[in-house]
Amino acid sequence: MKAKPSIFLAAAALAAASLVGFTACNSTSVGDTWTAPDVSKISFKKIMVVATFPDGATRRAAEDALKAEVTRAECITSYSLLGAESDVQDLAKISGALRTAGVDGVVVMRPVSDKNEVTYIPGTIYPVPYRTFRGYYNRFYALRPFSYEPGRYATDRFVQIETNIYEVAGERLIWSAASTSTNPGNLKDLIQDAASAIRAELVKEKLIPQS
């Protein structure tokens, strides 16, 4: 896996993609996880969650969703200390906020990609239903024994979000994962599902307790 950025660089990297206008249902999966070789458990006393989304409302929603998933440590949002989105890009300000808050762990969530993929679904041939024995022999069935459903194109939307967990001491990355949401219903669902999926993956890997 390629080298991970420092906490400050990750927190400062705002994605350009606009995550609005979602439709259809959502399915979120987590893949491409990485854990520092010497880490078997993740445990902090106080955590700051940082979401580097391009607008304030989305950033606050994402940080609130992340905070809701932290149940065994004190947790604060970056927006409670750094109000403006530009503050997250300021190394001095975010460094000062970490010192002021006295946190020992940071969770950084950032959008990585937002793309559509078009898939062709082939047509299907199937028998025309008939309700009676006599219907089996009727002229229509004899001449057209099968019905054809034409092929079609389907468009799916895939949104990928990266989540990194850092130890503040030494700015050390200890865990990273990419979650992918397929056809998210709306922005709120996307964020909540991504946050829940990350927590579930950490529990699965036995890095944090179930509750």
Side-chain angles (χ1 to χ4, degrees), residues 2 11 14 66 72 103 116-117 131 170 177 192 199 206:
K2 63 182 180 180
L14 291 175
L66 281 171
R72 298 178 68 88
V103 300
N116 292 329
E117 291 186 6
R131 297 180 180 276
Q192 290 181 340
R199 175 178 173 78
K206 298 181 179 180

Side-chain angles (χ1 to χ4, degrees), residues 30-97:
V30 177
D32 192 23
T33 67
W34 178 88
T35 307
D38 61 332
V39 172
S40 59
K41 298 288 182 182
I42 295 177
S43 179
F44 297 116
K45 293 181 179 179
K46 189 174 184 180
I47 297 170
M48 178 186 284
V49 291
V50 181
T52 62
F53 285 81
D55 66 275
T58 305
R59 173 193 171 196
R60 291 189 292 273
E63 291 186 1
D64 286 340
L66 281 171
K67 181 179 178 180
E69 297 297 331
V70 179
T71 60
R72 298 178 68 88
E74 183 181 355
C75 184
I76 62 173
T77 59
S78 76
Y79 73 77
S80 66
L81 296 178
L82 300 166
E85 279 57 65
S86 59
D87 290 346
V88 183
Q89 304 177 60
D90 189 312
L91 176 60
K93 287 185 178 180
I94 196 168
S95 297

Side-chain angles (χ1 to χ4, degrees), residues 6 77 112 139 150 154 200 207:
S6 74
T77 59
V112 175
R139 183 170 178 270
L207 293 171

Side-chain angles (χ1 to χ4, degrees), residues 113-183:
S113 66
D114 180 4
K115 62 183 180 179
N116 292 329
E117 291 186 6
V118 179
T119 304
Y120 178 72
I121 302 174
T124 304
I125 298 177
Y126 54 90
V128 175
Y130 49 87
R131 297 180 180 276
T132 65
F133 178 72
R134 182 181 296 273
Y136 179 85
Y137 292 97
N138 69 27
R139 183 170 178 270
F140 175 80
Y141 189 81
L143 294 176
R144 294 188 59 191
F146 295 100
S147 180
Y148 174 68
E149 181 178 309
R152 60 187 177 87
Y153 289 92
T155 301
D156 292 305
R157 193 172 192 176
F158 299 91
V159 180
Q160 188 176 66
I161 294 177
E162 180 187 73
T163 301
N164 293 330
I165 300 177
Y166 295 86
E167 287 180 343
V168 171
E171 302 178 19
R172 189 170 78 104
L173 176 69
I174 61 172
W175 190 82
S176 179
S179 60
T180 301
S181 295
T182 305
N183 297 326

Side-chain angles (χ1 to χ4, degrees), residues 16-35:
S18 175
L19 304 177
V20 294
F22 296 109
T23 58
C25 60
N26 177 51
S27 174
T28 300
S29 60
V30 177
D32 192 23
T33 67
W34 178 88
T35 307

